[in-house]
């Protein structure tokens, strides 16, 4: 069974590849929170989590889901795959600690470098088309190797800690989660046509348009930036620093889902 979250589609594509080739059920975390969140693993079935790396760690709402879910049938092989734009800091250690709190042992974890989706701070922007294509092409081979590793139930961690991993995951991450994961700074420019694309795109149904006004953001925002990247008018801003930045969505048409 594979649980996943994805904002701009990178982790969704990875999770779909895993599910198709391993024959494992796929579950989208936002769809699960209104259910009893109790799951039963078949004999020998592994438990996997696929998510984007946020602030050099596991996204807090993914950690909360893991904390609240109930799994019966025995978790024998637990793994994660995190997608990232650059590096993952201590995401592996953070995920392993989350698992230990559940009484589980995480056996393996991988990072897959994919196109950048974070654009809210100075110095962060989407990749240019050439880099985007390069990242997607190498991700294809990487995901196939990960699928082989999972099939063989290999143990070990192959993430991309990057420089200053401790400081990023233990000093910057708490600050990031406390002050930068917030819907407060979302607004639209005059280019907004109230078309509703952002409302339909939000995985947590956190955006509404009341009586043909501009979109408003509620409190349940995980900062996946799907609304910003989806807007056909490029009319969504978050604070001052998204101005002039690019948009990116995983080009699903390149790899259509097998039936
Ligand atoms: C809020 C936020 C935080 C991010 N933090 C990191 C990070 O710490 N390290 C990194 O390499 N990429 C980071 N990224 C980039 C994403 O991890 C990367 O683009 C990922 O593949 C997006 O996956 P998705 O399409 O499943 O949303 C961040 C993106 C967002 C939106």
């Amino acid at each position: 069974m594979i649980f996943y979250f994805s904002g701009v589609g990178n982790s969704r594509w990875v999770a779909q590849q895993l599910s198709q080739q391993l024959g494992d059920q796929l579950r989208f975390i936002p769809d699960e929170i209104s259910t009893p969140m109790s799951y039963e693993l078949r004999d020998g079935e592994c438990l996997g989590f696929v998510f984007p790396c946020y602030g050099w760690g596991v996204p807090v709402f993914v950690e909360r889901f893991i904390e609240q879910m109930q799994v019966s049938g025995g978790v024998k092989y637990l793994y994660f795959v995190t997608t990232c734009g650059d590096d993952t800091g201590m995401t592996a250690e953070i995920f392993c600690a989350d698992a230990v709190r559940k009484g589980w042992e995480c056996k393996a974890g991988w990072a897959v470098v994919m196109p950048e989706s974070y654009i809210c701070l100075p110095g962060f922007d989407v990749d240019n088309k050439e880099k985007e294509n390069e990242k997607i092409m190498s991700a294809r081979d990487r995901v196939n190797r990960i699928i082989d590793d999972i099939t063989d139930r290999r143990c070990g961690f192959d993430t991309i800690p990057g420089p200053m991993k401790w400081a990023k995951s233990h000093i910057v991450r708490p600050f990031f989660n406390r002050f930068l994961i917030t819907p407060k700074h979302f607004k639209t420019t005059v280019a907004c046509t109230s078309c509703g694309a952002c409302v339909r795109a939000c995985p947590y149904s956190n955006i509404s348009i009341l009586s043909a006004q501009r979109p408003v953001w509620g409190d349940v925002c995980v900062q996946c930036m799907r609304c910003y990247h989806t807007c056909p008018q490029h009319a969504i801003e978050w604070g001052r620093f998204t101005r002039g930045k690019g948009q990116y969505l995983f080009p699903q048409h390149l790899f259509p889902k097998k039936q």
Side-chain angles (χ1 to χ4, degrees):
M1 199 173 292
I2 301 167
F3 292 89
Y4 79 99
F5 177 79
S6 184
V8 296
N10 292 340
S11 311
R12 169 176 288 114
W13 170 73
V14 172
Q16 283 171 346
Q17 299 301 302
L18 263 58
S19 158
Q20 281 167 21
Q21 298 194 42
L22 298 167
D24 284 345
Q25 247 186 69
L26 199 53
R27 290 172 184 265
F28 186 45
I29 291 174
D31 291 343
E32 297 301 308
I33 51 177
S34 52
T35 71
M37 296 197 279
S38 299
Y39 310 93
E40 178 149 13
L41 294 180
R42 284 177 276 112
D43 199 26
E45 186 179 358
C46 45
L47 178 62
F49 289 86
V50 182
F51 52 83
C53 172
Y54 280 1
W56 297 283
V58 182
V60 171
F61 61 95
V62 173
E63 292 191 292
R64 202 172 302 131
F65 175 72
I66 293 173
E67 194 185 312
Q68 291 172 355
M69 72 190 299
Q70 299 298 326
V71 180
S72 56
V75 180
K76 306 237 167 52
Y77 185 81
L78 168 68
Y79 69 87
F80 72 85
V81 181
T82 185
T83 69
C84 64
D86 292 300
D87 54 49
T88 55
M90 298 183 71
T91 301
E93 289 84 344
I94 293 168
F95 186 89
C96 289
D98 291 338
V100 166
R101 278 192 285 277
K102 290 294 284 183
W104 301 338
E105 185 191 357
C106 179
K107 301 281 191 193
W110 298 266
V112 182
V113 176
M114 298 213 58
E116 183 60 72
S117 60
Y118 192 69
I119 34 73
C120 298
L121 288 176
F124 290 85
D125 201 349
V126 297
D127 298 309
N128 61 38
K129 278 285 158 217
E130 196 185 337
K131 193 163 178 194
E132 193 181 296
N133 288 337
E134 260 171 40
K135 282 181 168 182
I136 292 174
M137 288 308 148
S138 9
R140 209 154 56 154
D141 296 337
R142 172 111 176 116
V143 170
N144 284 332
R145 284 197 300 275
I146 293 172
I147 291 168
D148 290 343
D149 285 348
I150 297 172
T151 306
D152 296 342
R153 302 288 191 265
R154 270 192 214 136
C155 297
F157 297 89
D158 184 8
T159 55
I160 306 156
M164 297 193 296
K165 62 171 186 173
W166 193 91
K168 282 173 173 171
S169 296
H170 291 288
I171 299 174
V172 185
R173 180 174 183 249
F175 173 86
F176 186 88
N177 287 337
R178 171 84 177 79
F179 298 107
L180 300 179
I181 304 271
T182 169
K184 267 194 224 155
H185 309 303
F186 277 114
K187 55 186 186 297
T188 50
T189 66
V190 287
C192 174
T193 59
S194 303
C195 70
C198 54
V199 175
R200 292 187 293 277
C202 178
Y204 280 95
S205 309
N206 188 45
I207 307 174
S208 45
I209 297 178
L210 307 168
S211 54
Q213 304 278 314
R214 297 279 186 78
V216 284
W217 279 259
D219 292 333
V220 198
C221 176
V222 298
Q223 204 76 26
C224 71
M225 302 311 293
R226 187 170 177 82
C227 53
Y228 165 91
H229 291 287
T230 305
C231 176
Q233 308 302 327
H234 203 157
I236 295 178
E237 293 183 343
W238 187 91
R240 283 184 295 140
F241 302 119
T242 54
R243 248 169 255 167
K245 303 271 178 83
Q247 288 176 302
Y248 164 79
L249 286 177
F250 180 81
Q252 189 80 52
H253 61 275
L254 287 183
F255 309 106
K257 216 176 140 186
K258 287 185 205 128
Q259 293 307 309

